[in-house]
Amino acid sequence: MTAQRDYDIFEAGDVALQSGAVFPALKLAYKTYGTLSPAKDNVILYPTSFSAQHFDTEWLIGPDGVLDPTHYFIIIPNLFGNGLSSSPSNSGEAPLPQLDYHDAVAIQHRLITERFGVSKLALVYGWSMGGMQAYHWAALHPDMVARAAVVCGSARCAPYNHVFLESVKAALTSDPAFRNGRFVEKPVAGYRAMGRVYAGWAMSHGFYRDELWREAGFTSLEDYLVRTWDATFARRDANDLLAQIGIWQRGDVSRCASFGGDFDRALAAVKAHMLLMPGATDRYFDVRDNEDELGKLVNAKSAVLHPIPSLHGHRAGNPVNNPRDQAFIKAEIATLLSK
């Protein structure tokens, strides 16, 4: 018996991508929470992060959560390459035509305007790759985005971040299942190698020094690595993971016809209330990148940099079982939504 699907599909048709390629029958999977107001002014867009599907991130949606569906209509669009929206695993395209965040935002824009008739977003909220999408939204549709929360994200992929992703790709593609530019079967060893690389980058020096993994009930460092990281990416198709890594590495708000690679001009286009909320100990979305961006948000209604004071590294921005960081983020979003 086939399980009932808990999300909807927006069929975008054949789409001309920013790269010049055409993606046939492009599909965007999405899920909604709450009720759209008669004025259609209570919409929060919440794009997904690396390898995540909507049910991985919906934990922060709830009456007592960071995003409240009793007041807001929340839309989670699944990023291309995550296995629900168009991906190598469900489209027969491996590798995918070159997609980037500009393509994702363009189709998300079609979704909310064509399907819901929405012309204004109360908030775009995103963590990691979702935060990069939030930044793209604020720059590309400045009159549409009232507020944007960039959580452990940036306006472009920094060189250090790019190198981290190269290590992830190298670990994954070292598996013999990777042949002629694609995976022909599940890379069991590659998944584990990728997880071990990720474990070192995703969490901070202090997290491991202070053995904070014990707070989640792990009995040893090896127990934590095995149960948290060794199989964390094995639930996803490996070709899908490579597609999303490519989107991540190409991320740059200014790399489009509108801005012609002028990064300062792209950030100056932003008009929203901007909250830049990096993790204080995040190793690949570094606080210093957001510090540099802050000075370029010259036309934003407001722009603040409030790092999450946490030893949980990049995962401070997705604190599923971390009440301290969750409380910090909730308070910051409440303040942002009051503006």
Side-chain angles (χ1 to χ4, degrees):
M1 183 175 180
T2 304
Q4 185 174 359
R5 195 175 71 194
D6 75 333
Y7 58 92
D8 294 301
I9 296 289
F10 177 73
E11 297 189 5
D14 296 346
V15 173
L17 305 176
Q18 182 168 265
S19 66
V22 174
F23 198 117
L26 192 64
K27 294 179 173 59
L28 176 66
Y30 69 95
K31 187 173 179 180
T32 65
Y33 310 77
T35 303
L36 183 62
S37 66
K40 299 185 178 182
D41 60 357
N42 68 331
V43 179
I44 293 177
L45 193 69
Y46 177 23
T48 56
S49 51
F50 177 65
S51 82
Q53 298 177 348
H54 60 271
F55 52 81
D56 296 309
T57 59
E58 64 187 2
W59 64 269
L60 57 62
I61 298 173
D64 297 316
V66 175
L67 305 178
D68 183 357
T70 66
H71 291 94
Y72 293 97
F73 181 61
I74 302 160
I75 305 171
I76 298 184
N78 287 270
L79 182 59
F80 300 121
N82 82 338
L84 297 182
S85 290
S86 288
S87 306
S89 63
N90 61 23
S91 67
E93 298 277 346
L96 284 182
Q98 182 174 304
L99 286 158
D100 62 28
Y101 291 124
H102 293 84
D103 299 312
V105 168
I107 302 305
Q108 292 168 17
H109 182 271
R110 285 185 56 190
L111 167 71
I112 65 173
T113 55
E114 294 176 18
R115 182 149 296 183
F116 296 107
V118 168
S119 59
K120 193 80 170 178
L121 295 171
L123 171 67
V124 185
Y125 176 102
W127 169 64
S128 193
M129 286 186 81
M132 297 179 84
Q133 290 171 79
Y135 236 135
H136 280 65
W137 261 101
L140 293 166
H141 299 286
D143 294 319
M144 198 170 179
V145 179
R147 305 167 190 85
V150 178
V151 185
C152 298
S154 61
R156 60 184 171 187
C157 183
Y160 192 68
N161 196 336
H162 182 95
V163 170
F164 152 65
L165 292 167
E166 284 298 300
S167 71
V168 170
K169 280 198 300 187
L172 186 61
T173 58
S174 65
D175 192 288
F178 186 70
R179 297 196 288 275
N180 299 318
R182 65 187 302 273
F183 290 95
V184 296
E185 58 192 27
K186 278 189 171 293
V188 177
Y191 283 134
R192 182 180 182 276
M194 178 181 174
R196 292 279 168 142
V197 169
Y198 230 99
W201 284 82
M203 315 308 288
S204 75
H205 176 277
F207 175 86
Y208 290 110
R209 179 197 62 213
D210 296 348
E211 298 186 345
L212 296 186
W213 37 265
R214 292 191 184 277
E215 294 178 355
F218 296 100
T219 58
S220 67
L221 178 57
E222 184 65 11
D223 181 40
Y224 167 72
L225 292 174
V226 169
R227 291 201 283 142
T228 300
W229 293 104
D230 280 6
T232 191
F233 297 109
R235 64 200 178 115
R236 297 288 178 253
D237 179 89
N239 290 308
D240 290 356
L241 293 173
L242 285 185
Q244 289 211 323
I245 289 171
I247 294 171
W248 186 343
Q249 288 185 310
R250 289 187 292 271
D252 183 338
V253 292
S254 68
R255 195 177 296 167
C256 62
S258 297
F259 303 120
D262 188 332
F263 191 65
D264 288 5
R265 186 156 66 93
L267 294 193
V270 174
K271 298 178 183 178
H273 293 285
M274 296 293 294
L275 170 61
L276 306 183
M277 195 160 43
T281 57
D282 192 335
R283 296 186 61 205
Y284 42 92
F285 287 103
D286 193 281
V287 174
R288 288 166 291 188
D289 292 323
N290 285 163
E291 288 173 347
D292 178 62
E293 294 161 358
L294 189 68
K296 302 178 188 299
L297 295 170
V298 293
N299 293 311
K301 292 184 178 67
S302 66
V304 296
L305 174 65
H306 289 169
I308 306 167
S310 171
L311 291 178
H312 283 255
H314 187 59
R315 286 294 181 94
N318 188 42
V320 180
N321 297 309
N322 179 351
R324 288 188 298 272
D325 295 348
Q326 190 175 148
F328 181 88
I329 293 172
K330 182 179 178 180
E332 289 291 331
I333 296 304
T335 299
L336 178 62
L337 286 169
S338 70
K339 293 181 178 180

